[in-house]
Amino acid sequence: MWRGLLLKGTACVLQAAAQRFLHQRHFSSPSLSLLTQRLLHRPATAPLRLQGTGYFLAHRWDRGYKKDTKSTEFPVSLVTITDIKQYLRSKDLSFHDGYSCLHIPSIFVEASARKDSFSLFIDKTTGQFLCKDTLVEGSWEDLQDCLEVMQKEEQDFLSPHVLLGYLESVEEQEERERELREVQSIWSSSVPLSDLPEDEAELIKAMFQITKISNATLKKFSVRLFKPTKSLVFPWFGGPDSSLKGIKLLLAQRTDSDRVTYNEATVPKSSSYYNLFGLPLVSRVDSEVVVTGQELDALAVSQATGLPSVALPRGVSCLPPILLPYLEQFKRVTLWLGGDIRSWEASKIFSRKLGLRRCSLVRPGEFRPCPVEALARGQNLGHIIKASIPAAHKSIVSFKQLRDDVYGELVNTDQVAGVKWTRFPELNRILKGHRKGELTVFTGPTGSGKTTFISELALDLCMQGVNTLWGSFEINNVRLAKIMLTQFAMQRLEENLEQYDFWADKFEELPLYFMTFHGQQNIKFAVQDHIIGIFRKFATNSSCHVTLIIHPRKEEDDRELQTASIFGSAKASQEADNVLILQEKKLVTSPGRRSLQVTKNRFDGDVGIFPLDFIKASLTFSTPIKGKHKLRKVANKPENEEEVERKAVGAAPVKKEEVKKEKAEKATKATKTPRTVKSPATGHETTQK
């Protein structure tokens, strides 16, 4: 009988062990609520069953296998990943966004035993779910109903026995039971190849072209021989107790051209056979796996490379969605499904289901056959796997891959804007913050205080925990550290040496580092462009903010600097995300002659300018902290009393022409007024005009 089934490629149906129909059953409150809930939402033509409670079939610990997703008997509603996430958030359920599934804490496990385990997986495409702890599975509607019942009954978990499913006929129940008995019968009648006589074992291996597969590997994967049909038996172990759930039989035949062809049959039938062969041998800590199309290929990969390897239950024909949760733990998935063009096309399709970023594909070719054939040829399977090509192009992404990142920026606007400066609130208003992965170009006239300002800007961020690396080609590190220490202490420590150790100890705790380069370097424009390009690439790839201080071109003293004033070509301003210019009015000696102008802001486009007052005592451009005495720069020429009085009462300032005219009138009047002069020789007084 089995030989005929194998040759025809047919299979039988197997589902989990069933309990007999009970005409009367007392339900718990959650079960009854769930039943009522489903009756309200289920179409009138859709039959129901209550699993695990005696009301029809399938104890949920053995996992009832529903109809194929393509079958009209298992309606699949249209659901999007956005719908799923919004619903989970509405129920205050935390989730992890995986490669092909969302992970949530299992609602079928008691809260005390759940801990931080996210063992319930929801398919992002279909909404189907699977709890790996209890093997409860169902549709998106099933999960919604369970959550609604939990909320209504004020429970923190549900028994895995209360999930609703679909009705099976008596004939289907009998078929399941018959197939289960048949699986047990075949498995018990099979023998390990290591128990066969050596000559018989070698004959079997030669028949299946697996002479290079050792008996130890066959035993490791529990492969047996079913003697009545000379078929290899691959078991399907699953469930919390790793019980036998099904089998696949493989029969080898030689054609007239002396080629070997394989015929296989599964119990249960292929639409209900979800065996990811080799999965029980995979550890929870494994992060890499090789997925093959046939069980023999999985044996070859495991033996030759030692890597975890699994085989898909239906080869290259499909990747059942119910298996996706079992592949979520792997950060790298290598698809080696065979050595022909059909397997290559299937690899590209499956990689999109599994997540392009973590998948690599073995391209078939003359020197890259299927794994078992490569092993027979004596090829290095490890080298072939390492030479696999990434499924995703490294320079191309889709919006699907960017979607969550875009949403994250919209939700977390403050965090995306970057670290805020505490000493420069006006700079926060324009730039919004200091962000990773950006390039800032800073320029200003010679002697305007570029290094002093940028050191305080960096110190502000460093005091907030931002790792800072300084590299100056003009100022040695000792002098630069002295400037920053003065800015940190907000006072001149040479006048308060007794406080040096106190401030130095605090300053030493900052994540601040200095490069040892010093001295000017003469470079050509082309080399400068190349260096700027390197800095741009470094900032992007390393998620590091790079600030370059570049001297400006020589400009007239009465002209303000512009972006085009940056020394060199336009490369610097083009590559920069931000351009900052320290403006200085050289012909003005009063306070406020310096200002900071933002001429480019790629983050949100805001530009602007604000004044800076330099405080010489602390070498800062910012307002001292609260409680410190605010030092003001004294003007070179004192103002006259009248002008001070005018400012005090808020009167308009007197124009320069009026002041000059008033002074001239006073001088003229003074010359016309008679003066009395005493002679030092005679002591007589005389009047002069």
Side-chain angles (χ1 to χ4, degrees):
M1 178 185 71
W2 277 105
R3 180 179 295 276
L5 287 175
L6 287 165
L7 294 177
K8 294 178 181 178
T10 59
C12 301
V13 180
L14 171 68
Q15 296 198 355
Q19 299 179 1
R20 287 296 182 182
F21 176 79
L22 300 180
H23 294 279
Q24 294 182 347
R25 178 72 177 181
H26 297 285
F27 299 107
S28 63
S29 178
S31 301
L32 190 58
S33 299
L34 191 54
L35 178 60
T36 305
Q37 187 82 7
R38 295 311 300 269
L39 286 171
L40 292 175
H41 292 86
R42 187 70 61 187
T45 56
L48 292 168
R49 76 161 181 243
L50 183 61
Q51 293 192 343
T53 58
Y55 196 99
F56 297 117
L57 288 175
H59 195 283
R60 267 296 167 181
W61 287 88
D62 289 327
R63 194 169 86 193
Y65 296 93
K66 293 184 174 65
K67 300 294 183 183
D68 194 333
T69 54
K70 296 181 179 180
S71 173
T72 57
E73 294 184 24
F74 188 70
V76 178
S77 62
L78 296 177
V79 62
T80 65
I81 182 63
T82 303
D83 296 333
I84 297 174
K85 289 183 177 180
Q86 288 179 350
Y87 182 81
L88 295 177
R89 291 189 184 105
S90 70
K91 299 299 180 184
D92 293 328
L93 279 175
S94 57
F95 59 85
H96 291 167
D97 201 339
Y99 299 102
S100 55
C101 300
L102 296 178
H103 312 175
I104 68 172
S106 177
I107 62 174
F108 302 104
V109 178
E110 293 188 28
S112 58
R114 192 182 304 159
K115 297 182 181 180
D116 296 328
S117 175
F118 287 70
S119 59
L120 195 149
F121 296 81
I122 306 172
D123 190 291
K124 293 182 180 180
T125 305
T126 65
Q128 288 181 263
F129 74 91
L130 169 68
C131 172
K132 291 178 67 174
D133 290 336
T134 62
L135 294 187
V136 174
E137 65 181 53
S139 66
W140 173 239
E141 289 81 4
D142 292 333
L143 183 60
Q144 285 179 301
D145 291 340
C146 290
L147 291 172
E148 295 296 336
V149 168
M150 283 178 57
Q151 185 177 26
K152 185 176 180 180
E153 299 291 333
E154 297 182 352
Q155 297 184 355
D156 57 2
F157 87 103
L158 284 179
S159 169
H161 301 160
V162 302
L163 188 68
L164 291 174
Y166 297 90
L167 178 65
E168 286 183 334
S169 64
V170 176
E171 291 77 10
E172 288 176 325
Q173 297 178 41
E174 293 176 349
E175 183 73 7
R176 287 163 55 106
E177 293 174 355
R178 185 183 66 81
E179 291 295 335
L180 181 59
R181 290 193 299 268
E182 209 150 12
V183 167
Q184 295 292 348
S185 175
I186 294 173
W187 182 249
S188 60
S189 301
S190 304
V191 295
L193 269 71
S194 58
D195 293 348
L196 296 175
E198 185 176 350
D199 56 344
E200 185 177 356
E202 293 300 324
L203 181 62
I204 295 297
K205 288 184 179 181
M207 182 189 306
F208 287 92
Q209 294 185 328
I210 55 171
T211 54
K212 294 293 184 70
I213 301 293
S214 66
N215 287 340
T217 301
L218 294 169
K219 184 177 181 180
K220 175 183 177 181
F221 283 83
S222 302
V223 179
R224 293 186 178 185
L225 177 69
F226 185 59
K227 286 188 174 182
T229 58
K230 300 295 183 184
S231 304
L232 292 180
V233 182
F234 302 102
W236 174 14
F237 296 114
D241 55 353
S242 299
S243 60
L244 182 65
K245 305 178 71 62
I247 56 172
K248 176 184 282 191
L249 294 99
L250 186 67
L251 176 66
Q253 285 186 326
R254 289 190 177 273
T255 62
D256 296 336
S257 59
D258 203 30
R259 291 181 59 87
V260 176
T261 60
Y262 298 98
N263 293 297
E264 62 183 36
T266 61
V267 185
K269 67 179 180 180
S270 59
S271 61
S272 300
Y273 184 78
Y274 301 116
N275 180 23
L276 201 56
F277 180 75
L279 185 64
L281 300 177
V282 176
S283 169
R284 288 181 177 268
V285 298
D286 289 328
S287 60
E288 181 178 358
V289 69
V290 180
V291 178
T292 66
Q294 301 294 334
E295 289 77 7
L296 294 181
D297 290 334
L299 299 177
V301 171
S302 176
Q303 177 176 304
T305 66
L307 293 173
S309 58
V310 296
L312 298 178
R314 308 178 204 173
V316 299
S317 61
C318 75
L319 173 58
I322 198 64
L323 297 181
L324 295 178
Y326 296 102
L327 298 171
E328 279 288 290
Q329 76 178 72
F330 303 107
K331 296 180 180 179
R332 175 181 169 87
V333 178
T334 303
L335 293 169
W336 193 355
L337 301 183
D340 55 11
I341 189 62
R342 183 166 175 259
S343 64
W344 171 247
E345 294 298 327
S347 297
K348 292 190 289 186
I349 295 173
F350 295 169
S351 64
R352 288 195 286 270
K353 290 185 177 181
L354 294 168
L356 290 172
R357 287 295 170 185
R358 63 167 175 163
C359 289
S360 59
L361 316 178
V362 175
R363 184 190 293 272
E366 180 182 356
F367 300 103
R368 292 181 297 274
C370 63
V372 70
E373 186 176 345
L375 182 66
R377 293 181 184 181
Q379 293 180 262
N380 191 317
L381 274 67
H383 288 173
I384 295 177
I385 292 174
K386 288 182 180 179
S388 59
I389 60 177
H393 195 287
K394 64 180 181 179
S395 301
I396 298 176
V397 295
S398 64
F399 179 72
K400 183 178 181 180
Q401 296 168 271
L402 301 175
R403 177 171 181 156
D404 291 338
D405 293 334
V406 173
Y407 180 78
E409 290 206 0
L410 294 175
V411 173
N412 306 297
T413 53
D414 288 341
Q415 290 86 340
V416 172
V419 181
K420 304 294 189 296
W421 289 277
T422 59
R423 300 189 179 196
F424 302 97
E426 286 296 313
L427 192 58
N428 291 329
R429 180 181 60 82
I430 301 174
L431 284 182
K432 307 303 183 292
H434 180 85
R435 293 169 291 276
K436 297 179 180 179
E438 291 189 352
L439 175 66
T440 295
V441 170
F442 178 64
T443 190
T446 301
S448 61
K450 293 189 299 295
T451 302
T452 304
F453 172 78
I454 208 69
S455 65
E456 184 182 9
L457 196 74
L459 178 64
D460 189 333
L461 299 169
C462 193
M463 291 170 65
Q464 299 182 62
V466 178
N467 291 324
T468 305
L469 176 63
W470 248 100
S472 176
F473 296 95
E474 297 181 344
I475 302 178
N476 62 52
N477 290 335
V478 174
R479 185 178 175 189
L480 180 60
K482 176 187 173 183
I483 293 174
M484 298 186 76
L485 180 60
T486 301
Q487 294 171 333
F488 180 70
M490 300 291 285
Q491 60 179 310
R492 287 191 174 276
L493 293 177
E494 55 262 47
E495 300 173 2
N496 301 279
L497 291 177
E498 70 280 358
Q499 298 183 26
Y500 176 78
D501 288 335
F502 171 79
W503 290 108
D505 290 342
K506 288 183 174 295
F507 189 75
E508 199 174 84
E509 297 175 358
L510 298 178
L512 179 63
Y513 307 91
F514 301 90
M515 290 191 295
T516 56
F517 301 118
H518 181 63
Q520 293 184 346
Q521 305 291 329
N522 294 322
I523 57 176
K524 298 180 180 179
F525 289 166
V527 178
Q528 178 179 331
D529 289 352
H530 178 67
I531 293 173
I532 291 173
I534 292 176
F535 276 123
R536 166 76 272 177
K537 185 176 181 180
F538 172 77
T540 302
N541 295 343
S542 303
S543 190
C544 173
H545 192 116
V546 176
T547 300
L548 297 178
I549 304 175
I550 303 179
H551 287 288
R553 291 190 179 97
K554 183 66 176 177
E555 300 282 4
E556 298 294 333
D557 291 343
D558 59 343
R559 293 184 59 185
E560 289 189 345
L561 298 179
Q562 301 175 353
T563 302
S565 303
I566 299 174
F567 183 81
S569 68
K571 180 74 172 178
S573 59
Q574 289 174 353
E575 293 286 359
D577 296 288
N578 314 293
V579 175
L580 276 61
I581 302 177
L582 183 61
Q583 301 284 8
E584 183 184 30
K585 299 176 182 178
K586 295 184 178 180
L587 302 180
V588 178
T589 58
S590 60
R593 64 191 181 98
R594 294 185 181 89
S595 59
L596 184 67
Q597 183 178 9
V598 179
T599 61
K600 183 178 181 180
N601 174 11
R602 189 171 281 166
F603 178 70
D604 67 355
D606 286 352
V607 294
I609 187 170
F610 59 91
L612 292 173
D613 288 331
F614 179 65
I615 304 171
K616 189 173 182 180
S618 58
L619 302 180
T620 62
F621 287 87
S622 57
T623 304
I625 60 176
K626 189 175 181 180
K628 290 282 185 178
H629 176 64
K630 183 176 181 180
L631 301 176
R632 296 184 181 274
K633 186 174 181 179
V634 180
N636 294 332
K637 295 182 179 180
E639 299 174 339
N640 58 59
E641 295 181 358
E642 293 181 1
E643 186 66 24
V644 173
E645 185 177 354
R646 284 177 176 274
K647 289 185 177 180
V649 299
V654 181
K655 295 183 179 180
K656 292 182 178 179
E657 292 77 4
E658 296 178 358
V659 173
K660 291 181 179 179
K661 185 178 180 180
E662 187 177 1
K663 287 182 178 180
E665 291 176 353
K666 288 182 178 180
T668 303
K669 186 177 180 181
T671 58
K672 294 181 179 180
T673 303
R675 293 184 300 173
T676 301
V677 180
K678 184 177 182 180
S679 174
T682 63
H684 297 288
E685 295 181 351
T686 60
T687 301
Q688 295 181 351
K689 294 185 179 179

